[in-house]
Amino acid sequence: MRDKTEQNGLARRIEAARARMGRFAQDEDGAVFIFSLQVLIVLMVIGGIAIDFVRQDERRTLIQSSLDRAALAAANLDQTLDPATVAKDYLSTSGLDYLNIEPVVEEGQQKEYRRVSMTAQDDMPTIFGDLIGFGVKSFRSNTHAQAEESIGNVEISMVLDVSGSMGQTDSGSYYGETKIASLRDAATNFTNKMFDNVQPPGAPPGRLSISIVPYNQQVSLGPALASVYNLSSDHSYNTCADVQLQGFNSVSLPTTGLQRTMYGWSYDFIGQNMYVRKYLSNSGENCYDHSYSDVMAFEDNQNDVVNKIASLRAGGDTAIDIGARWGFALLDPSAKPVSAALVQNGTISADVDDRPLPYPATGQSIDERSMKVMILMTDGQNTRTFSTRMQYRTGDSGLFSVDSSTAFNDDSTTMSKMYWFSQDRADQGEKSYYSFADRNWYAPEDIGTYTTTRECHKELKYNWRYGYYWDTVCEDVPQFEHRDLHAIDWRTVWSKGWTLQYVIQTFLLPPRQRLDPQESVASIYDEMAISSMFSEKDKNLHDVCQAGKSKDIIVFTVAVDAPQSGKTALADCSSGPSYQYDVDSANLADAFSSIATQISTLRLTN
């Protein structure tokens, strides 16, 4: 009985255990805790890896910046220590000597360039990578730095203001020198420094070429360049070109067929009122065509450059846009035929017959590439530039004379025999020749002079004493003598050396006001002149500077005692704040010296 009772108790206990196990299997309490543990493990893995990645990035950044600084210091051509030693010392100071980096140093035979390259491979031990079972014991990063100071080929355009204000006394000069004298000193020191750095004795020839572009209201090319550019032959009194007609959205200029600037007149103001002056010089005010103001292009002879700078003189208005247009053009590879022609006629050395070189490009060697620099300097602001449209330079002027095709002057005797032709009146069938003598209109057949002829005849007369007799009677009879008209060419008009305004006021305005009383000197001037002034010239300067900088031409600007508008225009043209100098004349030499130093500074190429 006892055994049976014990068996029944055991069975009940087993059944109760099974019931509890069943309820336990169906119970969901605690499931979220298990899931949370799984998520925590995943977050720990991700966080650990992120920490290792952050550590690696910070370490890589430190290594990269240290390599960059070391490469820059080692590549400096001014330091005389062993470049590899300098680089290693920088790395050691930064705590990176454990990387055992071996700098690669490349140098020109004449120290005209130095390139320092360094590559580092760093294995950073991980904190979590190995602990969490992935077996990642380190992260590897590769860094590279290359710095180069290359005094290879350097092309420089020095665009220098030689306007009249440059002849004023330099306020910073102890001896009362003019600003043009201070400019000569500063530009000379700059030139000598550039030859010392780029073209020292023993260096390969042709490393440095300098173009000097003096400008006032125009740029005078000089005979050699004018012949190369084949300036128009409508006259030969000067060697300036109307580059305004080429626009300002490009740095290149055609090497043939440029229009020569018109001569013999200028545009003047009293307040806002235009007045007329008469110039008798052949060169005229629009182009100061003197040997000291001519452009010097692609010169590699130090003495010739220095002598050219020493000859600079001041005079005229200010057209910064025209100066910059030529400065950029002499850096553009499209001007290569110009250097070839100058070499051929013996103006420059054959060592620079490849100027201007192509624009810098990746993969070019030191010999194939060139640093292109323009220095633009002014003490003023954009003012005025003028010329005459081509259709008013040659061919019939519309003026006629009954004497000859060269009978042209402003004296009353000559003008009394002159006429002006109106095509509009001729088209309407009206008398079309205006007479300067009486301000009336005539048909060609009506043009001439009246003369008197003495005509005599016999008349039968009666006298009471003598009776009838024959008497001779004479009288003056007017007779019209037709005169042919001779066309006066524009060349004859301009040969007098008069201003455009004087010609307009004296010969064109009177007949044209008879046709239209609203006509004025200004309205006819706008029809005949090529002109740009003030804000328009600032816009021109902005456009050409943008075009130049887009070609990687480095633009330094120097505003010397300039008004605010001039400073603003130059700052806009420069390659950036560190490339613009706003100085008084006392610090002009320092500005040019600083530019010379910058040209020779380091360039981080990678």
Side-chain angles (χ1 to χ4, degrees):
M1 187 69 180
R2 182 180 178 184
D3 291 338
K4 186 175 181 180
T5 299
E6 290 178 355
Q7 289 177 354
N8 291 336
L10 178 61
R12 285 193 299 271
R13 288 193 297 272
I14 292 173
E15 186 63 29
R18 287 177 177 174
R20 288 195 300 271
M21 291 296 293
R23 289 194 302 271
F24 179 77
Q26 295 177 1
D27 192 355
E28 295 182 357
D29 291 344
V32 173
F33 176 73
I34 296 173
F35 176 73
S36 298
L37 288 176
Q38 293 172 340
V39 171
L40 179 60
I41 293 171
V42 172
L43 291 176
M44 289 179 63
V45 171
I46 295 174
I49 294 175
I51 291 173
D52 281 337
F53 275 123
V54 169
R55 290 178 56 240
Q56 183 206 26
D57 187 65
E58 289 178 346
R59 186 157 164 161
R60 182 195 60 79
T61 301
L62 172 64
I63 294 172
Q64 182 69 66
S65 61
S66 298
L67 258 64
D68 288 344
R69 290 195 301 270
L72 285 167
N76 190 345
L77 289 175
D78 291 333
Q79 64 91 8
T80 58
L81 300 175
D82 175 61
T85 301
V86 171
K88 288 183 176 181
D89 184 65
Y90 263 75
L91 295 175
S92 176
T93 302
S94 301
L96 300 179
D97 47 353
Y98 68 91
L99 292 174
N100 297 320
I101 299 171
E102 289 297 329
V104 177
V105 179
E106 302 172 76
E107 291 184 303
Q109 291 184 352
Q110 305 297 329
K111 305 294 184 183
E112 68 272 14
Y113 78 94
R114 179 182 295 158
R115 185 184 300 118
V116 178
S117 303
M118 289 183 288
T119 300
Q121 188 178 84
D122 179 50
D123 287 316
M124 184 198 74
T126 62
I127 297 175
F128 296 93
D130 194 35
L131 292 178
I132 59 179
F134 289 105
V136 180
K137 296 183 178 181
S138 65
F139 283 158
R140 173 169 296 179
S141 61
N142 295 319
T143 53
H144 176 75
Q146 178 175 292
E148 174 185 330
E149 181 169 342
S150 58
I151 306 300
N153 298 307
V154 178
E155 300 173 41
I156 300 174
S157 282
M158 297 176 65
V159 184
L160 306 177
D161 186 345
V162 293
S163 61
S165 58
M166 288 295 292
Q168 297 173 356
T169 301
D170 181 349
S171 59
S173 171
Y174 181 80
Y175 297 102
E177 291 183 326
T178 59
K179 286 187 282 186
I180 193 71
S182 297
L183 172 62
R184 289 194 292 262
D185 292 341
T188 297
N189 292 336
F190 168 84
T191 297
N192 291 335
K193 188 169 184 177
M194 290 311 305
F195 273 94
D196 289 343
N197 291 343
V198 182
Q199 194 71 68
R207 287 290 185 187
L208 174 65
S209 62
I210 296 179
S211 296
I212 306 294
V213 183
Y215 73 92
N216 35 50
Q217 67 264 45
Q218 255 293 354
V219 170
S220 171
L221 296 181
L225 272 181
S227 64
V228 173
Y229 277 96
N230 293 307
L231 299 187
S232 63
S233 59
D234 50 286
H235 71 87
S236 58
Y237 289 109
N238 66 46
T239 60
C240 295
D242 291 333
V243 294
Q244 309 96 299
L245 301 178
Q246 303 298 322
F248 289 84
N249 292 315
S250 171
V251 296
S252 63
L253 285 172
T255 55
T256 182
L258 287 176
Q259 180 172 298
R260 197 183 300 261
T261 297
M262 192 58 177
Y263 56 94
W265 52 268
S266 68
Y267 197 75
D268 297 284
F269 293 89
I270 299 179
Q272 297 298 318
N273 299 317
M274 180 175 63
Y275 75 100
V276 178
R277 290 194 302 182
K278 180 176 176 180
Y279 290 99
L280 297 178
S281 65
N282 284 333
S283 62
E285 287 289 307
N286 275 25
C287 177
Y288 274 73
D289 203 33
H290 306 284
S291 60
Y292 56 76
S293 61
D294 290 350
V295 172
M296 169 178 277
F298 317 122
E299 186 57 68
D300 70 332
N301 183 289
Q302 183 174 0
N303 289 333
D304 288 348
V305 176
V306 169
N307 290 337
K308 175 63 181 180
I309 293 171
S311 73
L312 296 177
R313 299 292 183 272
D317 255 338
T318 308
I320 310 172
D321 57 335
I322 304 296
R325 191 71 172 87
W326 277 109
F328 282 122
L330 296 177
L331 294 171
D332 189 77
S334 64
K336 194 169 183 178
V338 177
S339 66
L342 294 177
V343 169
Q344 187 173 6
N345 64 31
T347 303
I348 61 175
S349 165
D351 293 328
V352 288
D353 64 353
D354 56 354
R355 294 302 193 276
L357 289 167
Y359 289 112
T362 303
Q364 289 179 325
S365 69
I366 291 294
D367 292 328
E368 294 170 329
R369 67 175 181 260
S370 176
M371 177 191 289
K372 296 176 183 283
V373 177
M374 187 173 84
I375 303 170
L376 181 61
M377 170 267 160
T378 188
D379 75 325
Q381 62 185 346
N382 274 313
T383 55
R384 297 169 286 264
T385 300
F386 302 102
S387 187
T388 304
R389 299 186 188 280
M390 183 57 75
Q391 62 266 37
Y392 298 105
R393 299 185 178 195
T394 60
D396 292 343
S397 65
L399 295 166
F400 293 81
S401 173
V402 296
D403 277 355
S404 71
S405 60
T406 58
F408 174 75
N409 213 324
D410 60 352
D411 62 83
S412 58
T413 300
T414 304
M415 290 187 67
S416 67
K417 300 176 182 179
M418 287 177 55
Y419 294 81
W420 181 82
F421 174 69
S422 168
Q423 185 62 56
D424 289 341
R425 289 180 64 91
D427 292 341
Q428 297 171 13
E430 299 178 347
K431 295 180 179 181
S432 53
Y433 287 87
Y434 172 91
S435 169
F436 286 92
D438 60 13
R439 296 175 56 84
N440 289 320
W441 295 94
Y442 291 86
E445 60 271 17
D446 297 333
I447 294 175
T449 57
Y450 281 90
T451 60
T452 57
T453 302
R454 191 79 172 172
E455 293 184 358
C456 299
H457 61 277
K458 296 289 186 179
E459 286 187 2
L460 182 63
K461 294 185 177 181
Y462 174 78
N463 183 283
W464 64 273
R465 179 177 294 181
Y466 300 107
Y468 289 97
Y469 68 95
W470 291 98
D471 189 17
T472 302
V473 178
C474 296
E475 60 181 350
D476 293 330
V477 179
Q479 287 189 340
F480 176 73
E481 180 182 350
H482 175 73
R483 299 289 298 273
D484 291 330
L485 290 169
H486 303 277
I488 297 173
D489 188 273
W490 277 117
R491 290 177 186 265
T492 301
V493 174
W494 301 125
S495 67
K496 301 296 180 180
W498 290 327
T499 67
L500 176 61
Q501 295 93 321
Y502 186 80
V503 171
I504 292 172
Q505 181 170 284
T506 307
F507 300 100
L508 303 181
L509 185 62
R512 289 182 58 161
Q513 277 190 332
R514 286 295 304 275
L515 296 175
D516 181 3
Q518 299 301 315
E519 286 276 31
S520 64
V521 173
S523 64
I524 302 174
Y525 181 91
D526 290 341
E527 172 189 322
M528 299 178 67
I530 303 168
S531 64
S532 59
M533 296 186 290
F534 303 109
S535 60
E536 180 183 355
K537 298 182 79 62
D538 286 344
K539 175 63 165 55
N540 293 342
L541 179 62
H542 168 81
D543 290 345
V544 74
C545 289
Q546 290 299 112
K549 289 184 288 189
S550 71
K551 300 289 188 181
D552 292 328
I553 295 174
I554 301 170
V555 183
F556 292 94
T557 60
V558 184
V560 186
D561 294 328
Q564 187 56 51
S565 58
K567 296 176 184 179
T568 301
L570 258 64
D572 175 68
C573 181
S574 72
S575 292
S578 62
Y579 297 88
Q580 53 193 251
Y581 293 81
D582 177 10
V583 298
D584 55 33
S585 49
N587 295 312
L588 182 59
D590 292 338
F592 272 83
S593 179
S594 176
I595 292 172
T597 299
Q598 282 204 64
I599 293 175
S600 302
T601 54
L602 308 172
R603 294 181 299 171
L604 188 62
T605 60
N606 245 345

